[in-house]
Amino acid sequence: MDATPQAFDRVLSSMCTRPHPAAARAAQRFLADNPGDPATYPDVAALEEHVLDALGTVTGLADPAGYVAGGGTEANMQAVRAARDLTASDDPVVVAPTSVHFSFQKAADVLDVNLRLVPTDDDYRADPDAVAAAVDDDTALVVGVAGTTEFGRVDPIPELAAIAREAGTRFHVDAAWGGFHLPFTDHAWHFGHAPVDTLTIDPHKVGRAPIPAGGFLARDDATLDALAVETPYLETTSQATLAGTRSGAGVAGAAAALDAQWPDEYRENHERATANATYLAENLRDRGYDVVTPELPLVAFDLPEATFDAVRADGWRLSRTGSGEARVVCMPHVTRAMLEAFLDTLDTARVG
Ligand code: PLP
């Protein structure tokens, strides 16, 4: 079958992007290496340690435990799994805001835990009072999101961490998308800012690593020990990952992406994306659209269904939030020229 990879010049919906050229080259070299078997593939295992160290630097934790996961879904699932296995409750509950990524529904389903979703405040962030009221003796994990999928909101991480600590439960931060923007903001979001037990940060999103490269980080080794199973047929004796065989390309690509971009290129990307989000929000408002003021560079706005459909029919990849707003994610491939062309399309679609 003849197929063409997706061009990025009209993609506004995705949380993935073109990999950094150095990352793409590195990935190509490690296509056959399996970091799931580190004793057989020591070089890619060393690269994975390097990625962990680098992600620790980004997230304020020296020498983190963790690994390069398949993506944010796997990392979130592992956070829930560790919490389930470390709690004393027979009927564990995960307390999270309604803005949490749907991967937590999958985790709850697969791991047979209860997901208790708590309404967000009027500005789409977790509401600490509501979260505190939802936590009980069965709560195994409280989740905060640092960069929500639909509105790019950053939850009040220190407040949520304090609630979890007070209740004696674990605390997880999902920074899968936001993690490569937040270091260049004033937000308190990581291990260095609050008692965070586990954290998701995905190199294959804003980090510009090739897919698959998710990041699962834990403050202490006990988390990984809780996840580990014995692995008799491998050269190593235990494995804490969810997947068995994993992508050497993802690991090597993440290492190269971090080496090439941390911190200067990531900062430049953050500044460019933020300027683009502000530009888009202002230009939409000028045209009379109702816009949710961006916090991280993601712009959600009301768009009539007919216009949404016309824009999509013109080749733009645009998606909607659960409550119906159109959302534009200002990823590294999204340029000012793209946004100008998008606004032109909107204008035409509207007139038509
Ligand atoms: N967490 C957040 C905040 C996300 O935005 C996403 C995906 O967009 C995920 C988790 C899931 O990541 P993945 O699709 O890599 O599994």
Side-chain angles (χ1 to χ4, degrees):
M1 185 189 152
D2 235 11
T4 314
Q6 179 65 47
F8 276 96
D9 57 336
R10 290 196 165 202
V11 174
L12 302 175
S13 54
S14 185
M15 299 199 123
C16 293
T17 191
R18 245 182 240 118
H20 190 281
R25 282 193 299 275
Q28 183 76 26
R29 292 184 59 223
F30 282 84
L31 281 173
D33 279 40
N34 173 17
D37 186 1
T40 308
Y41 299 92
D43 278 27
V44 83
L47 282 176
E48 184 163 24
E49 285 306 311
H50 183 66
V51 172
L52 270 187
D53 280 351
L55 291 178
T57 302
V58 177
T59 61
L61 182 63
D63 203 16
Y67 69 93
V68 177
T73 300
E74 180 183 338
N76 288 340
M77 193 168 288
Q78 291 285 71
V80 174
R81 185 173 159 223
R84 182 199 64 175
D85 292 351
L86 289 166
T87 184
S89 169
D90 295 332
D91 195 15
V93 173
V94 173
V95 174
T98 46
S99 54
V100 86
H101 185 260
F102 56 73
S103 47
F104 285 93
Q105 285 166 10
K106 297 183 186 178
D109 190 15
V110 171
L111 297 165
D112 197 23
V113 304
N114 306 296
L115 180 60
R116 190 172 291 156
L117 293 179
V118 181
T120 51
D121 66 15
D122 291 345
D123 201 20
Y124 311 99
R125 281 184 207 83
D127 172 352
D129 291 338
V131 169
V135 168
D136 62 15
D137 289 348
D138 283 322
T139 303
L141 183 69
V142 174
V143 179
V145 190
T148 59
T149 313
E150 296 200 326
F151 294 102
R153 288 297 189 252
V154 184
D155 287 339
I157 298 301
E159 286 88 335
L160 296 177
I163 292 165
R165 172 158 280 207
E166 170 92 354
T169 76
R170 291 171 68 84
F171 182 57
H172 175 72
V173 172
D174 183 359
W177 176 73
F180 287 95
H181 284 298
L182 288 159
F184 313 110
T185 70
D186 293 333
H187 289 286
W189 63 284
H190 66 39
F191 291 105
H193 301 135
V196 174
D197 293 296
T198 49
L199 185 146
T200 296
I201 174 169
D202 285 354
H204 75 195
K205 294 189 170 72
V206 182
R208 295 190 70 194
I211 301 166
F216 174 62
L217 303 183
R219 186 180 286 277
D220 55 37
D221 290 335
T223 303
L224 273 282
D225 292 346
L227 297 170
V229 298
E230 288 179 14
T231 53
Y233 80 89
L234 299 180
E235 285 193 56
T236 34
T237 53
S238 82
Q239 196 174 78
T241 55
L242 197 57
T245 301
R246 289 183 294 130
S247 168
V251 168
L258 281 151
D259 281 350
Q261 297 173 93
W262 176 261
D264 295 345
E265 279 194 43
Y266 285 133
R267 180 184 293 109
E268 281 162 29
N269 172 64
H270 170 72
E271 286 168 0
R272 193 172 46 245
T274 302
N276 279 339
T278 305
Y279 165 85
L280 180 62
E282 280 171 1
N283 276 273
L284 288 167
R285 276 204 186 110
D286 287 350
R287 287 164 167 79
Y289 292 103
D290 205 359
V291 180
V292 178
T293 303
E295 181 165 52
L296 295 184
L298 190 165
V299 183
F301 60 103
D302 282 335
L303 189 64
E305 201 165 330
T307 317
F308 179 85
D309 291 344
V311 166
R312 289 219 14 118
D314 201 37
W316 291 95
R317 299 287 183 260
L318 189 66
S319 64
R320 283 184 186 281
T321 65
S323 43
E325 293 86 354
R327 57 190 274 288
V328 170
V329 193
C330 292
M331 291 298 288
H333 64 267
V334 174
T335 61
R336 184 64 62 94
M338 264 174 84
L339 295 176
E340 285 164 3
F342 173 64
L343 287 165
D344 285 348
T345 307
L346 269 187
D347 293 345
T348 314
R350 238 184 166 186
V351 173

